[in-house]
Short mmCIF file of all heavy atoms in Angstrom, two decimals:
data_model
loop_
_atom_site.label_atom_id
_atom_site.label_comp_id
_atom_site.label_asym_id
_atom_site.label_seq_id
_atom_site.Cartn_x
_atom_site.Cartn_y
_atom_site.Cartn_z
N ASN A 276 295.35 -101.16 -52.68
CA ASN A 276 294.47 -100.26 -53.31
C ASN A 276 293.64 -100.97 -54.42
O ASN A 276 293.55 -100.50 -55.52
CB ASN A 276 295.20 -99.08 -53.83
CG ASN A 276 294.25 -97.89 -54.14
OD1 ASN A 276 293.30 -97.68 -53.44
ND2 ASN A 276 294.58 -97.09 -55.15
N THR A 277 293.13 -102.12 -54.10
CA THR A 277 292.27 -102.83 -55.02
C THR A 277 290.85 -102.29 -54.90
O THR A 277 290.39 -102.00 -53.79
CB THR A 277 292.32 -104.39 -54.82
OG1 THR A 277 292.02 -104.61 -53.46
CG2 THR A 277 293.66 -104.87 -55.12
N THR A 278 290.12 -102.21 -56.01
CA THR A 278 288.79 -101.73 -56.01
C THR A 278 287.79 -102.96 -55.82
O THR A 278 287.85 -103.91 -56.62
CB THR A 278 288.41 -101.02 -57.28
OG1 THR A 278 289.27 -99.93 -57.45
CG2 THR A 278 286.96 -100.56 -57.28
N ILE A 279 286.93 -102.93 -54.85
CA ILE A 279 285.98 -103.98 -54.51
C ILE A 279 284.61 -103.36 -54.71
O ILE A 279 284.30 -102.32 -54.11
CB ILE A 279 286.18 -104.48 -53.09
CG1 ILE A 279 287.58 -104.94 -52.94
CG2 ILE A 279 285.16 -105.66 -52.77
CD1 ILE A 279 287.97 -105.19 -51.46
N SER A 280 283.73 -103.99 -55.48
CA SER A 280 282.48 -103.38 -55.78
C SER A 280 281.35 -104.48 -55.70
O SER A 280 281.56 -105.66 -55.90
CB SER A 280 282.41 -102.76 -57.21
OG SER A 280 282.68 -103.75 -58.21
N TYR A 281 280.16 -103.91 -55.33
CA TYR A 281 278.94 -104.75 -55.36
C TYR A 281 277.85 -103.85 -55.86
O TYR A 281 277.42 -102.87 -55.13
CB TYR A 281 278.66 -105.25 -53.96
CG TYR A 281 277.31 -105.99 -53.87
CD1 TYR A 281 277.21 -107.32 -54.41
CD2 TYR A 281 276.18 -105.47 -53.39
CE1 TYR A 281 276.08 -108.01 -54.37
CE2 TYR A 281 274.95 -106.16 -53.33
CZ TYR A 281 274.92 -107.44 -53.77
OH TYR A 281 273.76 -108.08 -53.76
N GLY A 282 277.32 -104.10 -57.05
CA GLY A 282 276.37 -103.21 -57.65
C GLY A 282 276.98 -101.86 -57.85
O GLY A 282 278.05 -101.69 -58.46
N LYS A 283 276.36 -100.82 -57.30
CA LYS A 283 276.84 -99.46 -57.56
C LYS A 283 277.76 -99.07 -56.34
O LYS A 283 278.37 -97.96 -56.45
CB LYS A 283 275.72 -98.51 -57.60
CG LYS A 283 274.78 -98.65 -58.80
CD LYS A 283 273.70 -97.65 -58.92
CE LYS A 283 272.82 -97.78 -60.06
NZ LYS A 283 271.71 -96.82 -60.11
N GLU A 284 277.87 -99.84 -55.37
CA GLU A 284 278.75 -99.54 -54.21
C GLU A 284 280.13 -100.05 -54.42
O GLU A 284 280.27 -101.15 -55.04
CB GLU A 284 278.20 -100.15 -52.95
CG GLU A 284 276.68 -99.75 -52.67
CD GLU A 284 276.64 -98.17 -52.38
OE1 GLU A 284 277.59 -97.61 -51.93
OE2 GLU A 284 275.50 -97.67 -52.60
N TYR A 285 281.17 -99.34 -53.98
CA TYR A 285 282.48 -99.76 -54.18
C TYR A 285 283.42 -99.17 -53.02
O TYR A 285 283.00 -98.13 -52.37
CB TYR A 285 283.11 -99.41 -55.53
CG TYR A 285 283.27 -97.95 -55.69
CD1 TYR A 285 284.58 -97.41 -55.48
CD2 TYR A 285 282.28 -97.12 -56.18
CE1 TYR A 285 284.82 -96.05 -55.66
CE2 TYR A 285 282.54 -95.75 -56.38
CZ TYR A 285 283.76 -95.23 -56.11
OH TYR A 285 284.00 -93.85 -56.23
N THR A 286 284.51 -99.75 -52.80
CA THR A 286 285.50 -99.27 -51.81
C THR A 286 286.87 -99.71 -52.26
O THR A 286 287.01 -100.68 -52.99
CB THR A 286 285.13 -99.77 -50.42
OG1 THR A 286 286.06 -99.25 -49.50
CG2 THR A 286 285.23 -101.27 -50.31
N ASN A 287 287.92 -99.06 -51.80
CA ASN A 287 289.27 -99.40 -52.07
C ASN A 287 289.87 -99.97 -50.77
O ASN A 287 289.90 -99.38 -49.69
CB ASN A 287 290.06 -98.20 -52.50
CG ASN A 287 289.66 -97.71 -53.85
OD1 ASN A 287 289.35 -98.48 -54.75
ND2 ASN A 287 289.66 -96.39 -54.07
N ASN A 288 290.41 -101.15 -50.93
CA ASN A 288 291.01 -101.85 -49.76
C ASN A 288 292.34 -102.53 -50.21
O ASN A 288 292.50 -102.79 -51.42
CB ASN A 288 290.05 -102.97 -49.16
CG ASN A 288 288.93 -102.39 -48.50
OD1 ASN A 288 287.98 -101.84 -49.14
ND2 ASN A 288 288.84 -102.49 -47.18
N SER A 289 293.10 -102.95 -49.22
CA SER A 289 294.22 -103.87 -49.51
C SER A 289 293.67 -105.26 -49.45
O SER A 289 292.81 -105.58 -48.70
CB SER A 289 295.30 -103.71 -48.44
OG SER A 289 294.88 -104.04 -47.19
N THR A 290 294.14 -106.07 -50.41
CA THR A 290 293.71 -107.47 -50.53
C THR A 290 294.91 -108.39 -50.28
O THR A 290 296.00 -108.18 -50.85
CB THR A 290 293.13 -107.69 -51.97
OG1 THR A 290 292.04 -106.82 -52.22
CG2 THR A 290 292.59 -109.12 -52.06
N THR A 291 294.75 -109.34 -49.38
CA THR A 291 295.84 -110.27 -48.97
C THR A 291 295.53 -111.68 -49.23
O THR A 291 294.47 -112.10 -48.69
CB THR A 291 296.22 -110.03 -47.53
OG1 THR A 291 296.48 -108.62 -47.31
CG2 THR A 291 297.44 -110.77 -47.17
N GLY A 292 296.34 -112.35 -49.94
CA GLY A 292 296.21 -113.76 -50.10
C GLY A 292 296.87 -114.52 -48.98
O GLY A 292 298.05 -114.21 -48.68
N VAL A 293 296.23 -115.45 -48.33
CA VAL A 293 296.77 -116.18 -47.19
C VAL A 293 296.41 -117.67 -47.23
O VAL A 293 295.59 -118.07 -48.07
CB VAL A 293 296.22 -115.59 -45.87
CG1 VAL A 293 296.70 -114.06 -45.72
CG2 VAL A 293 294.72 -115.66 -45.78
N SER A 294 297.06 -118.38 -46.29
CA SER A 294 296.65 -119.77 -46.18
C SER A 294 295.87 -119.95 -44.82
O SER A 294 295.72 -118.95 -44.08
CB SER A 294 297.98 -120.66 -46.04
OG SER A 294 298.58 -120.43 -44.79
N PRO A 295 295.21 -121.09 -44.61
CA PRO A 295 294.42 -121.22 -43.40
C PRO A 295 295.11 -120.85 -42.04
O PRO A 295 294.44 -120.40 -41.10
CB PRO A 295 294.01 -122.66 -43.43
CG PRO A 295 294.06 -123.00 -44.90
CD PRO A 295 295.23 -122.23 -45.47
N ASP A 296 296.42 -121.10 -41.99
CA ASP A 296 297.12 -120.80 -40.69
C ASP A 296 297.08 -119.32 -40.31
O ASP A 296 297.32 -119.04 -39.15
CB ASP A 296 298.58 -121.27 -40.77
CG ASP A 296 298.77 -122.75 -40.60
OD1 ASP A 296 297.76 -123.48 -40.20
OD2 ASP A 296 299.84 -123.30 -40.82
N PHE A 297 296.88 -118.42 -41.25
CA PHE A 297 296.85 -117.04 -41.04
C PHE A 297 295.79 -116.62 -39.97
O PHE A 297 296.02 -115.80 -39.15
CB PHE A 297 296.49 -116.29 -42.35
CG PHE A 297 296.66 -114.83 -42.26
CD1 PHE A 297 297.88 -114.19 -42.48
CD2 PHE A 297 295.49 -114.04 -41.98
CE1 PHE A 297 297.98 -112.79 -42.40
CE2 PHE A 297 295.65 -112.58 -41.90
CZ PHE A 297 296.88 -112.01 -42.16
N LYS A 298 294.75 -117.35 -39.90
CA LYS A 298 293.65 -117.11 -38.92
C LYS A 298 294.13 -117.21 -37.52
O LYS A 298 293.83 -116.33 -36.68
CB LYS A 298 292.49 -118.09 -39.17
CG LYS A 298 291.26 -117.82 -38.28
CD LYS A 298 290.11 -118.73 -38.67
CE LYS A 298 288.86 -118.40 -37.88
NZ LYS A 298 289.03 -118.84 -36.43
N GLU A 299 294.93 -118.28 -37.21
CA GLU A 299 295.43 -118.46 -35.88
C GLU A 299 296.65 -117.49 -35.60
O GLU A 299 296.79 -116.96 -34.47
CB GLU A 299 295.92 -119.85 -35.67
CG GLU A 299 294.89 -120.86 -35.38
CD GLU A 299 293.97 -121.10 -36.59
OE1 GLU A 299 294.41 -121.13 -37.73
OE2 GLU A 299 292.72 -121.30 -36.43
N ILE A 300 297.41 -117.22 -36.62
CA ILE A 300 298.62 -116.37 -36.36
C ILE A 300 298.14 -114.93 -36.10
O ILE A 300 298.72 -114.24 -35.23
CB ILE A 300 299.53 -116.39 -37.65
CG1 ILE A 300 300.11 -117.80 -37.84
CG2 ILE A 300 300.64 -115.33 -37.52
CD1 ILE A 300 300.82 -117.95 -39.13
N ARG A 301 297.10 -114.50 -36.81
CA ARG A 301 296.61 -113.06 -36.58
C ARG A 301 295.42 -113.03 -35.65
O ARG A 301 294.91 -111.89 -35.46
CB ARG A 301 296.23 -112.48 -37.96
CG ARG A 301 297.43 -112.19 -38.88
CD ARG A 301 298.15 -110.92 -38.31
NE ARG A 301 299.11 -110.35 -39.35
CZ ARG A 301 298.78 -109.43 -40.18
NH1 ARG A 301 297.60 -108.88 -40.16
NH2 ARG A 301 299.65 -108.98 -41.10
N ASN A 302 295.02 -114.18 -35.12
CA ASN A 302 293.83 -114.16 -34.25
C ASN A 302 292.59 -113.48 -34.92
O ASN A 302 291.92 -112.68 -34.34
CB ASN A 302 294.15 -113.43 -32.96
CG ASN A 302 295.06 -114.23 -32.08
OD1 ASN A 302 295.02 -115.46 -32.00
ND2 ASN A 302 295.96 -113.56 -31.39
N ILE A 303 292.34 -113.91 -36.16
CA ILE A 303 291.22 -113.41 -36.90
C ILE A 303 289.89 -114.00 -36.33
O ILE A 303 289.91 -115.28 -36.11
CB ILE A 303 291.31 -113.72 -38.43
CG1 ILE A 303 292.60 -113.19 -39.01
CG2 ILE A 303 290.06 -113.25 -39.17
CD1 ILE A 303 292.60 -111.61 -39.03
N GLU A 304 288.94 -113.21 -36.03
CA GLU A 304 287.68 -113.75 -35.45
C GLU A 304 286.58 -113.73 -36.48
O GLU A 304 286.19 -112.66 -36.98
CB GLU A 304 287.33 -112.88 -34.24
CG GLU A 304 286.04 -113.41 -33.55
CD GLU A 304 285.57 -112.48 -32.43
OE1 GLU A 304 286.08 -111.35 -32.33
OE2 GLU A 304 284.69 -112.91 -31.71
N VAL A 305 286.06 -114.89 -36.77
CA VAL A 305 284.84 -115.04 -37.62
C VAL A 305 283.77 -115.52 -36.67
O VAL A 305 283.78 -116.70 -36.19
CB VAL A 305 285.09 -115.99 -38.76
CG1 VAL A 305 283.80 -116.10 -39.59
CG2 VAL A 305 286.21 -115.51 -39.67
N LYS A 306 282.89 -114.71 -36.29
CA LYS A 306 281.80 -115.03 -35.33
C LYS A 306 280.87 -116.06 -35.88
O LYS A 306 280.77 -116.18 -37.03
CB LYS A 306 281.09 -113.76 -34.81
CG LYS A 306 281.97 -112.76 -34.06
CD LYS A 306 281.17 -111.52 -33.74
CE LYS A 306 282.02 -110.55 -32.98
NZ LYS A 306 281.35 -109.31 -32.66
N PRO A 307 280.20 -116.88 -34.96
CA PRO A 307 279.28 -117.86 -35.40
C PRO A 307 278.19 -117.23 -36.23
O PRO A 307 277.65 -116.15 -35.85
CB PRO A 307 278.72 -118.43 -34.08
CG PRO A 307 279.81 -118.25 -33.11
CD PRO A 307 280.47 -116.96 -33.50
N GLY A 308 277.91 -117.86 -37.34
CA GLY A 308 276.81 -117.23 -38.28
C GLY A 308 277.35 -116.34 -39.27
O GLY A 308 276.63 -115.85 -40.21
N ASN A 309 278.69 -115.98 -39.20
CA ASN A 309 279.33 -115.09 -40.16
C ASN A 309 280.19 -115.81 -41.13
O ASN A 309 281.11 -115.26 -41.75
CB ASN A 309 280.14 -114.04 -39.43
CG ASN A 309 279.26 -112.92 -38.86
OD1 ASN A 309 278.08 -112.84 -39.15
ND2 ASN A 309 279.84 -112.07 -38.14
N GLY A 310 279.94 -117.08 -41.35
CA GLY A 310 280.67 -117.82 -42.39
C GLY A 310 281.92 -118.43 -41.88
O GLY A 310 282.08 -118.86 -40.70
N ARG A 311 282.99 -118.43 -42.75
CA ARG A 311 284.23 -119.12 -42.37
C ARG A 311 285.43 -118.38 -42.91
O ARG A 311 285.29 -117.35 -43.62
CB ARG A 311 284.20 -120.55 -43.01
CG ARG A 311 284.13 -120.53 -44.54
CD ARG A 311 284.25 -121.92 -45.12
NE ARG A 311 284.10 -121.89 -46.63
CZ ARG A 311 285.10 -121.59 -47.46
NH1 ARG A 311 286.31 -121.39 -46.96
NH2 ARG A 311 284.93 -121.73 -48.72
N PHE A 312 286.60 -118.94 -42.60
CA PHE A 312 287.85 -118.36 -43.08
C PHE A 312 288.35 -119.29 -44.33
O PHE A 312 287.71 -120.20 -44.67
CB PHE A 312 288.89 -118.21 -42.01
CG PHE A 312 290.05 -117.29 -42.33
CD1 PHE A 312 289.83 -115.91 -42.41
CD2 PHE A 312 291.33 -117.76 -42.56
CE1 PHE A 312 290.86 -115.10 -42.71
CE2 PHE A 312 292.37 -116.91 -42.83
CZ PHE A 312 292.11 -115.58 -42.94
N VAL A 313 289.50 -118.89 -44.86
CA VAL A 313 290.13 -119.69 -45.92
C VAL A 313 290.42 -121.11 -45.40
O VAL A 313 290.89 -121.30 -44.30
CB VAL A 313 291.36 -118.97 -46.38
CG1 VAL A 313 292.16 -119.82 -47.40
CG2 VAL A 313 291.08 -117.57 -47.05
N ASN A 314 290.14 -122.10 -46.27
CA ASN A 314 290.53 -123.53 -45.94
C ASN A 314 291.47 -124.05 -47.01
O ASN A 314 291.71 -123.42 -48.02
CB ASN A 314 289.27 -124.33 -45.68
CG ASN A 314 288.37 -124.41 -46.91
OD1 ASN A 314 288.83 -124.43 -48.00
ND2 ASN A 314 287.06 -124.50 -46.70
N GLU A 315 291.87 -125.34 -46.75
CA GLU A 315 292.85 -125.94 -47.67
C GLU A 315 292.21 -126.18 -48.97
O GLU A 315 292.90 -126.17 -50.05
CB GLU A 315 293.27 -127.25 -47.04
CG GLU A 315 294.15 -127.11 -45.82
CD GLU A 315 295.57 -126.46 -46.14
OE1 GLU A 315 295.88 -126.31 -47.32
OE2 GLU A 315 296.20 -126.02 -45.16
N THR A 316 290.89 -126.52 -49.05
CA THR A 316 290.22 -126.75 -50.35
C THR A 316 290.26 -125.50 -51.21
O THR A 316 290.44 -125.54 -52.43
CB THR A 316 288.83 -127.17 -50.14
OG1 THR A 316 288.77 -128.42 -49.25
CG2 THR A 316 288.17 -127.58 -51.48
N ASP A 317 290.12 -124.35 -50.56
CA ASP A 317 290.14 -123.09 -51.27
C ASP A 317 291.54 -122.89 -51.99
O ASP A 317 291.63 -122.46 -53.11
CB ASP A 317 289.90 -121.90 -50.37
CG ASP A 317 288.56 -121.86 -49.76
OD1 ASP A 317 287.65 -122.43 -50.41
OD2 ASP A 317 288.33 -121.38 -48.61
N ILE A 318 292.60 -123.29 -51.21
CA ILE A 318 293.96 -123.15 -51.75
C ILE A 318 294.19 -124.11 -52.93
O ILE A 318 294.68 -123.74 -53.98
CB ILE A 318 294.95 -123.48 -50.63
CG1 ILE A 318 294.86 -122.47 -49.41
CG2 ILE A 318 296.35 -123.41 -51.21
CD1 ILE A 318 295.18 -121.05 -49.68
N ARG A 319 293.72 -125.37 -52.68
CA ARG A 319 294.03 -126.34 -53.73
C ARG A 319 293.23 -126.09 -54.95
O ARG A 319 293.88 -126.23 -56.08
CB ARG A 319 293.62 -127.73 -53.16
CG ARG A 319 293.91 -128.92 -54.04
CD ARG A 319 293.51 -130.27 -53.57
NE ARG A 319 292.02 -130.32 -53.47
CZ ARG A 319 291.35 -130.37 -52.33
NH1 ARG A 319 292.00 -130.37 -51.11
NH2 ARG A 319 290.03 -130.38 -52.28
N ASP A 320 291.98 -125.70 -54.87
CA ASP A 320 291.12 -125.53 -56.08
C ASP A 320 291.20 -124.10 -56.63
O ASP A 320 290.41 -123.76 -57.53
CB ASP A 320 289.72 -125.88 -55.73
CG ASP A 320 289.54 -127.32 -55.38
OD1 ASP A 320 290.51 -128.10 -55.74
OD2 ASP A 320 288.53 -127.69 -54.81
N ARG A 321 292.07 -123.19 -56.08
CA ARG A 321 292.06 -121.82 -56.44
C ARG A 321 290.73 -121.18 -56.42
O ARG A 321 290.31 -120.44 -57.37
CB ARG A 321 292.70 -121.71 -57.85
CG ARG A 321 294.23 -122.02 -57.87
CD ARG A 321 294.76 -121.91 -59.27
NE ARG A 321 296.22 -122.20 -59.33
CZ ARG A 321 297.11 -121.19 -59.36
NH1 ARG A 321 296.72 -119.95 -59.38
NH2 ARG A 321 298.39 -121.53 -59.31
#
């Protein structure tokens, strides 16, 4: 139940911290052109 907002818009979602392997374990799909998932540099540099 974390609050996520952008400008005047907001929503309540669960927020989950993960490592890069999570993408393959959960079969998370990030389609081409829609950016990327968490990587090792994100983990190391917080």
